[in-house]
Amino acid sequence: MVTVAKQQEGTSQSSSILASLVQSYDSQHIHPTVKPVVTIPKAKYGGRYTVTMLPGGGIGPELMEYVKEVFQFAGVPVDFETISIDPLREGNEEFEYAMTSIKRNGVCLKGNIETKSFIAGVPSRNVAIRSELDLFVSLLHCKSYPGIKCRHKGIDVVVVRQNTEGEYSMLEHESVHGVVESMKVVTTKNAERVARYGFEYAQKNGRKKVTTVHKANIMKLSDGLFLETSRRVAKDYPDIKHNDMIIDNCCMQLVSNPHQFDVMIMTNLYGAIVSNVVCGLVGGAGLISGRNYGDHYAVFEPGTRNTGTSIAGKNIANPTAMLNASADMLEHLEFNYHASNIKKAIEFTINEDHLHTPDLGGTSSSTDVIHNILKRIGKLSRNHNWYENESIFFGILCLLRIDCLNSISQLHEHIGVILRGSGTRKPVTE
């Protein structure tokens, strides 16, 4: 009887766990902007996160050094596991190690990884990362900086891009000599995930309109399925206006009247085109960050995914896009104080101090911009009270044995040492 009871109890527990997992899965795919209920533990030790860093090629390595410099100065509780992938190597050992690192840490900051091999069996490393981690959506928030002279002012557009299918499925073959076929894959499942993500984002962030970009007049089955799915999902959000636009007309409309757009959802290739057009409208490739999300992993990178090989090592690369990507990453890790300071320092540097790199029509070097951002972060941190900073506060609790301290003054002395080591500049006083 006891054995039967235990078996029944075990079966009941298994059923309960299975029901919980199914409920979590359904919840995540109905509301994809909400973090999964059952989360994979991130690499967090003593209040500090470990993040995978993939510098990539071109200007990537120097931009990553700037990120490390800013993080160290600001006392950001993040450690980087840096992995370089050789673009000339045809083997996948480095790539597989990078994937293992991302899966272990859960979060990655990356530059554009070149794949210089044209052998059919060597896929694009960037595309492979998104596919293997199922990073089904890419998000770009393209917003004008008042301090940058552009044809259009006040642009505020969000591009939501399907990230793993379409023309980027990497399914090509030569049917007969001289005839190559490339497959474009669109599935209802991923089309709905992206559409729902776009509408959920609009709803949560007070956006009023979602535009589906397509070419269903020509690709009636593939783009037709994507458009049909978007229209069906739109019915679940009656308070948000939905319209659609053909990709070629969309590009013309973006250049002539970008203010008509709010949130835009589209398939993979159209997303690559539209992202570059909108980033060009607000100042170029060096400003806007990109976020890639899946159910369990997140990867942050510059929005236009350019390598910048021609300007590498010349101290003229714009570090803004990579720093914005790092700040997006900090928001994802819920280090909102540090993320806010970095973004505010960037805005002050561009809009008020007018330090612009050559891509923005200025004469400032990369290091000029970074040094000014550090100065601005120092000013922003000066009025910050240490106990309001959650990461430092819990770090202090972990590192100090308060029961061994003889007085409040000794406690303050120990806290001061920790804060100075973490990069916080304000001294602690009673």
Side-chain angles (χ1 to χ4, degrees), residues 321-375:
M322 189 65 79
L323 286 176
N324 273 327
S326 72
D328 292 340
M329 180 193 74
L330 292 178
E331 289 178 348
H332 177 74
L333 295 174
E334 298 182 352
F335 291 132
N336 296 317
Y337 168 75
H338 295 292
S340 175
N341 274 0
I342 291 173
K343 288 190 173 183
K344 286 178 182 177
I346 291 171
E347 291 172 0
F348 279 127
T349 298
I350 292 175
N351 298 330
E352 295 190 12
D353 303 327
H354 300 290
L355 268 70
H356 298 168
T357 45
D359 60 305
L360 302 178
T363 58
S364 299
S365 66
S366 306
T367 50
D368 290 336
V369 173
I370 291 298
H371 291 159
N372 196 79
I373 288 173
L374 295 180
K375 182 175 70 175

Side-chain angles (χ1 to χ4, degrees), residues 56-209:
I59 59 176
E62 57 193 90
L63 296 183
M64 292 303 189
E65 290 302 317
Y66 298 143
V67 170
K68 290 178 181 178
E69 185 178 354
V70 169
F71 276 33
Q72 183 178 13
F73 181 86
V76 178
V78 167
D79 300 309
F80 290 107
E81 181 180 1
T82 304
I83 302 170
S84 297
I85 299 176
D86 186 352
L88 298 175
R89 180 173 294 183
E90 294 175 0
N92 284 327
E93 295 83 3
E94 293 173 341
F95 173 78
E96 289 172 359
Y97 176 53
M99 294 304 301
T100 301
S101 173
I102 297 173
K103 291 176 181 178
R104 177 173 60 246
N105 297 326
V107 181
C108 173
L109 180 68
K110 69 179 284 290
N112 196 53
I113 302 171
E114 293 181 288
T115 307
K116 294 187 176 180
S117 174
F118 288 94
I119 298 176
V122 181
S124 163
R125 272 63 180 262
N126 297 295
V127 176
I129 287 174
R130 297 172 206 129
S131 298
E132 186 167 334
L133 298 177
D134 191 27
L135 303 174
F136 68 91
V137 66
S138 171
L139 178 74
L140 272 75
H141 185 187
C142 303
K143 190 173 182 179
S144 297
Y145 284 92
I148 297 176
K149 292 182 179 180
C150 298
R151 182 177 297 274
H152 298 284
K153 299 291 184 181
I155 295 174
D156 188 358
V157 177
V158 175
V159 178
V160 178
R161 167 186 178 182
Q162 207 293 321
N163 221 14
T164 57
E165 292 186 339
E167 294 84 357
Y168 285 65
S169 301
M170 297 188 293
L171 298 174
E172 295 182 314
H173 64 274
E174 189 174 26
S175 16
V176 295
H177 181 68
V179 178
V180 175
E181 295 178 321
S182 178
M183 295 182 65
K184 174 177 180 175
V185 178
V186 177
T187 64
T188 301
K189 173 187 173 183
N190 282 321
E192 181 168 349
R193 291 168 86 188
V194 171
R196 199 166 293 280
Y197 187 97
F199 279 96
E200 286 279 321
Y201 181 91
Q203 189 175 67
K204 289 180 64 177
N205 292 276
R207 300 276 176 163
K208 304 300 182 184
K209 184 171 79 169

Side-chain angles (χ1 to χ4, degrees), residues 248-269:
D248 36 350
N249 181 40
C250 172
C251 291
M252 183 186 70
Q253 294 293 331
L254 275 170
V255 174
S256 59
N257 181 24
H259 301 99
Q260 65 182 290
F261 297 101
D262 194 350
V263 176
M264 308 171 73
I265 57 176
M266 61 206 72
T267 56
N268 211 336
L269 180 60

